[in-house]
Amino acid sequence: MRYISTRGTAPILDFEQVTLAGLASDGGLYLPEAWPQVTADEIAGLRGLSYVDTAVAVMAPFIGDTMTQEELKAMCTQAYGRFAHAAVAPLVQLDQRHWLLELFHGPTLAFKDVALQLVGLLFERFLAGTDKQLTVIGATSGDTGSAAIDALAGRMGVEVFMLHPKGRVSDVQRRQMTTVLAPNIHNIALEGASFDDAQALVKAMFNDADFSGRFALSAVNSINWARLMAQIVYYFYAAVRLGAPERPIAFSVPTGNFGDVFAGYVAAKMGLPIAKLIVATNVNDILHRALSTGDYSQGTVVPTPSPSMDIQVSSNFERLLFDLGGRDGPALAAQLHGFESSKAMRLTNAQLQGAATLFTSDRIGLDDMALAMRWAHSDAGQTIDPHSAIGLAAARRADLGDVPVVTLATAHPAKFGDAVERATGMRPALPARIGNLYDREERFASLPTRFADVTEYIAARATPR
Ligand SMILES: *Cc1c(COP(=O)(O)O)cnc(C)c1O
C-alpha cells in the first residue's frame, strides 16, 4: 500500500514511513492511494471472529508487506490484551434501535487507547535495530496525552514531550499523564495557555526549519494515519454483530477532530454497508455547520463538559474534502490556503453533496446532553460520559427509520465524574485498573507559553537526529 498527501506534492510513502511521519512536507495529511475493497462474503467471514482476528483481517491490506500477518496478530494480541473487557469493544443494547459500542476499556479510559496501544508497538517495531531516535511532540486537551504516554512509556528510541494547558485538564486526566515516571516521558504544563495555544506551539515547532532539522519529530495526534487505520476495525466488528453485510447499520460519533468518524467513512468506502454516519458535535459546531450548510468558518472555542470535542478546526476534515473533491491535491491546497488566511471557506457543491450521501450531523447543547445522560441512566441502566451522551442525543434525534444505530461510547464515565454526577445524581467509581491514581507521585515541568522556553527545554532532553 502506498500513501499520498492530500495536497499533492509530498513524497509517496509506504506504511512504515507514514506511521513514523507527522504532517506531510507539503502541509497535507497522508491517506492510502486507493481504498482496499472487501466483498460481502469477506464481511460475512468476520462473523464470530475475536476483536484481534477482526483487526488483522481489516488492517492487513493497509499494512501491505511491511509485516507478516503473524507479526500483526502478535502485535494486536499484545495491544488489546491490555483491555479490561474480553470483547475489547463490547456492544451494549439500550432499546430496540439503539446500541452503545464501548470503546473505553483500555488503560486510560478513552477510545484513544484503541489506536495508540497499537501505534506504540508499531513505533517500537519500526525503530528496533535502527539508530533512529524519534522526538514525539504533542498537545493535548487530556485524552490523547494520557493514551500516548501510556502507549510509549519506556519504549526504546522515542522521547515524548506532551504539552497541556495548565489547569485546563481534569484532575484525572492530569494525573494519568504526570504520574507516569518513565524517563522518556516529559510532561509540560503551559502557564496561562488554552489548548489552542498549546497546539499552536507544537505546529510552530514542526514548521521551524532549525528545530525540525535538529530532531526527528513525529506526531501522535489523529493526523497520524496508523491511528485512523486502527479505528476502522471497530466499525466492522460492531456491524457484523448487528447483521452486516445483509443489514445496513448507522453510527453516531461524538466528533472533534473528525478522526474517529473518518475511520467510519473509510469502512464504508471499503464496502461495509453503513446507512449513515451521524457527526455529533457540542456547541463548538464548525462541522455541523459545514455539513448542513457548506459554511466551514472558525468560531471561538467555548469550553464545555465534553472538552475533547472543544475544537474549532478539524484537521481530519481535510482528508474527507480531498476524497470527495476528486482527489485533486492542488485544488484542495488552494481551497485550504484560503481557509488558513481568512478562517472561513465554503464547501464546493461536489463536497457538500458527496458528504450528504453518507453523513448527517447535529449540534447538541448542554441540556440535551444532560437529558441523554439521564435517559441512558434511568431508562437503559447505563451510565455514560458527556461525550458519549452527545453521540446518543444525536442518534435518538436522527430520522433513520428502523435502521439500528450504534453510538460510539468514547470515554469511561468516571473520567468525567463531575459532569455525570451533575446530570444523574450518581458519581461513577474509578475502575480498579486506574488503581491508586491519587496516591502516586506527579512529575511535570511548568513553563511559560513561549516558543523559546519550550524549545530550549525540549532540546536539552531530546536526542538529535
Ligand atoms: C478525542 C475524543 C473525541 C473526538 O474524537 P475525534 O477523532 O477527534 O473526532 C470524542 N470523545 C472523546 C472522549 C475523545 O477523547
Side-chain angles (χ1 to χ4, degrees):
M1 177 67 76
R2 296 169 8 127
Y3 291 87
I4 58 171
S5 162
T6 50
R7 303 207 188 175
T9 51
I12 293 176
L13 303 184
D14 68 12
F15 178 70
E16 175 173 339
Q17 293 165 320
V18 87
T19 299
L20 298 180
L23 269 185
S25 59
D26 56 7
L29 305 178
Y30 277 103
L31 79 185
E33 199 171 40
W35 301 122
Q37 294 301 303
V38 182
T39 64
D41 282 350
E42 285 167 335
I43 295 170
L46 299 174
R47 277 184 202 133
L49 293 191
S50 67
Y51 192 87
V52 165
D53 286 328
T54 309
V56 172
V58 171
M59 295 193 295
F62 294 102
I63 285 170
D65 51 16
T66 40
M67 267 191 287
T68 65
Q69 295 230 352
E70 288 68 38
E71 281 177 289
L72 178 58
K73 179 162 181 175
M75 214 177 255
C76 291
T77 304
Q78 191 180 343
Y80 299 120
R82 292 199 59 204
F83 279 58
H85 197 291
V88 180
L91 203 51
V92 175
Q93 185 158 14
L94 297 176
D95 67 9
Q96 276 106 320
R97 272 191 56 221
H98 291 279
W99 279 260
L100 287 178
L101 182 64
E102 294 184 347
L103 300 172
F104 52 71
H105 292 283
T108 73
L109 311 183
F111 85 97
K112 295 190 166 78
D113 289 323
V114 178
L116 281 164
Q117 285 294 318
L118 184 70
V119 167
L121 297 173
L122 286 169
F123 273 25
E124 187 169 67
R125 160 78 165 70
F126 293 148
L127 294 171
T130 73
D131 52 8
K132 260 189 236 163
Q133 292 286 338
L134 279 194
T135 301
V136 169
I137 303 184
T140 183
S141 56
D143 294 334
T144 289
S146 53
I149 285 170
D150 186 276
L152 295 173
R155 300 214 181 277
M156 299 290 291
V158 194
E159 293 287 328
V160 180
F161 296 87
M162 192 54 67
L163 281 54
H164 71 265
K166 190 169 187 172
R168 301 262 191 120
V169 299
S170 77
D171 274 3
V172 173
Q173 287 177 320
R174 188 192 69 251
R175 285 175 178 277
Q176 282 182 317
M177 298 192 278
T178 58
T179 60
V180 178
L181 304 180
N184 70 328
I185 301 298
H186 310 273
N187 278 291
I188 299 173
L190 292 174
E191 295 160 358
S194 70
F195 169 67
D196 284 350
D197 300 329
Q199 185 143 50
L201 252 184
V202 171
K203 274 210 179 122
M205 288 187 253
F206 274 87
N207 288 333
D208 185 81
D210 173 53
F211 190 72
S212 62
R214 285 162 67 200
F215 303 101
L217 300 184
S218 179
V220 285
N221 51 11
S222 59
I223 61 173
N224 183 299
W225 166 259
R227 267 188 70 175
L228 297 193
M229 174 191 73
Q231 293 170 200
I232 301 167
V233 173
Y234 46 72
Y235 287 90
F236 280 90
Y237 186 70
V240 295
R241 272 160 185 72
L242 292 179
E246 286 81 12
R247 183 159 76 149
I249 312 293
F251 289 90
S252 181
V253 187
T255 297
N257 229 347
F258 207 73
D260 207 5
V261 74
F262 186 76
Y265 172 79
V266 177
K269 283 295 190 185
M270 292 169 74
L272 187 67
I274 295 182
K276 270 294 175 231
L277 290 169
I278 304 167
V279 175
T281 75
N282 63 24
V283 294
N284 298 292
D285 64 350
I286 183 170
L287 286 169
H288 173 55
R289 282 184 281 116
L291 291 165
S292 54
T293 70
D295 165 35
Y296 190 79
S297 60
Q298 187 179 349
T300 330
V301 176
V302 178
T304 74
S306 46
S308 304
M309 297 159 66
D310 292 346
I311 281 180
Q312 280 288 3
V313 181
S314 273
S315 334
N316 285 293
F317 200 50
E318 172 164 350
R319 286 184 160 115
L320 179 70
L321 296 180
F322 176 71
D323 209 42
L324 293 174
R327 296 193 152 218
D328 183 343
L332 182 66
Q335 190 183 13
L336 289 166
H337 286 143
F339 174 75
E340 280 152 19
S341 58
S342 68
K343 303 294 171 214
M345 69 184 191
R346 293 227 32 107
L347 268 52
T348 65
N349 282 341
Q351 289 165 339
L352 192 54
Q353 284 157 16
T357 61
L358 188 60
F359 293 94
T360 175
S361 65
D362 205 347
R363 167 198 203 267
I364 304 297
L366 292 180
D367 291 348
D368 289 327
M369 177 200 74
L371 268 177
M373 280 203 258
R374 279 199 287 278
W375 179 81
H377 190 252
S378 59
D379 288 48
Q382 296 295 321
T383 307
I384 62 175
D385 98 290
H387 304 78
S388 311
I390 285 170
L392 181 60
R396 288 188 9 107
R397 213 146 77 175
D399 182 12
L400 297 171
D402 54 10
V403 173
V405 191
V406 175
T407 296
L408 303 195
T410 50
H412 192 291
K415 204 161 183 177
F416 300 94
D418 291 342
V420 174
E421 188 173 8
R422 270 198 302 277
T424 66
M426 211 208 66
R427 191 169 186 87
L430 272 178
R433 66 186 182 283
I434 292 298
N436 55 348
L437 192 62
Y438 280 87
D439 304 327
R440 294 206 293 262
E441 178 193 345
E442 287 192 77
R443 192 167 67 206
F444 60 95
S446 279
L447 296 180
T449 310
R450 274 198 305 261
F451 184 82
D453 295 83
V454 178
T455 49
E456 189 188 320
Y457 181 89
I458 294 176
R461 290 160 182 82
T463 314
R465 49 160 106 233

